[in-house]
Amino acid sequence: MKHIYQKGSNEEAPVLLLLHGTGGTETDLLPLAEMVSPGSSVLSVRGNVLENGMPRFFRRLSEGVFDEEDLILRTKELHDYLELASKEYDFDKKKVVALGYSNGANIAASLMFHYEGALKGAILHHPMVPRRGITLPALSDMPVFIAAGNNDPICPAAETNELTRMLEEAGAKVDNHWENYGHQLTRSEVEAAGTWFHRNFL
């Protein structure tokens, strides 16, 4: 997968897996990583699917309607790639925290839904429920930060609350951060994610 890897100054800090939103690239979230954990190594990945020329991590049938078959395939692709990257760049794959926005947050959530131990934790900016009607693996005390907008037209509050409930029922420790905005990323939610990250991992 097309990516950027940057070795950090703090080898004890988790590796940040950066996953962009629709139309983004592997450079988009590098400033967020610097704000959240400047000492962490960073693996930033570009999605392999194109929608009208815009990179994504998996196909969708329409706005908010995921292609489940493709989601499952692309989640496995990302999971397998993490294994390869951990060997290539010599990092501990058990110390990876995902930081995703929108479509990237959805594929990060899908990793948690499908693969036990795939992530040490996750920062999800404006995520949706990736799949329904499946049993999640054990997420025993996994720290998860979810940033959401009260006025988000793509990801309504009910979606955030449902995802939170599903993760908590699987054992995750979820912290929700609400903004009075829409689907856009805000500086204040990234700063809140940084405070959360330091409390849980550093």
Side-chain angles (χ1 to χ4, degrees), residues 82-83 86-87 91-96 117-120:
L82 284 175
E83 175 81 29
S86 70
K87 293 174 181 172
F91 63 80
D92 185 350
K93 64 178 182 166
K94 293 180 180 175
K95 291 177 62 177
V96 174
L119 297 171
K120 187 179 177 69

Side-chain angles (χ1 to χ4, degrees), residues 103-137:
N103 180 241
N106 296 338
I107 194 87
S110 186
L111 276 174
M112 292 188 284
F113 270 47
H114 291 99
Y115 296 100
E116 186 170 355
L119 297 171
K120 187 179 177 69
I123 295 170
L124 307 176
H125 292 280
H126 305 267
M128 295 177 69
V129 175
R131 287 188 73 197
R132 292 175 171 87
I134 65 169
T135 300
L136 274 63

Side-chain angles (χ1 to χ4, degrees), residues 29-169:
L29 301 186
L30 293 175
L32 272 67
E34 188 66 25
M35 290 174 67
V36 168
S37 181
S40 283
S41 295
V42 170
L43 177 66
S44 188
V45 181
R46 182 187 295 192
N48 273 346
V49 172
L50 288 178
E51 179 182 273
N52 300 320
M54 298 184 297
R56 281 177 57 85
F57 286 98
F58 58 89
R59 289 199 297 264
R60 58 183 169 182
L61 304 176
S62 60
E63 183 75 66
V65 182
F66 301 158
D67 182 331
E68 273 203 23
E69 191 175 316
D70 193 61
L71 172 63
I72 293 165
L73 172 72
R74 299 299 177 176
T75 302
K76 182 181 187 305
E77 178 182 64
L78 180 58
H79 181 259
D80 292 348
Y81 177 68
L82 284 175
E83 175 81 29
L84 291 173
S86 70
K87 293 174 181 172
E88 181 180 356
Y89 296 115
D90 192 28
F91 63 80
D92 185 350
K93 64 178 182 166
K94 293 180 180 175
K95 291 177 62 177
V96 174
V97 174
L99 192 168
Y101 166 57
S102 193
N103 180 241
N106 296 338
I107 194 87
S110 186
L111 276 174
M112 292 188 284
F113 270 47
H114 291 99
Y115 296 100
E116 186 170 355
L119 297 171
K120 187 179 177 69
I123 295 170
L124 307 176
H125 292 280
H126 305 267
M128 295 177 69
V129 175
R131 287 188 73 197
R132 292 175 171 87
I134 65 169
T135 300
L136 274 63
L139 300 175
S140 307
D141 292 328
M142 179 192 290
V144 178
F145 176 91
I146 296 178
N150 285 315
N151 303 304
D152 191 333
I154 296 171
C155 179
E159 185 90 14
T160 302
N161 293 332
E162 183 181 357
L163 177 59
T164 299
R165 177 183 56 76
M166 294 173 79
L167 291 171
E168 288 180 339
E169 286 177 354

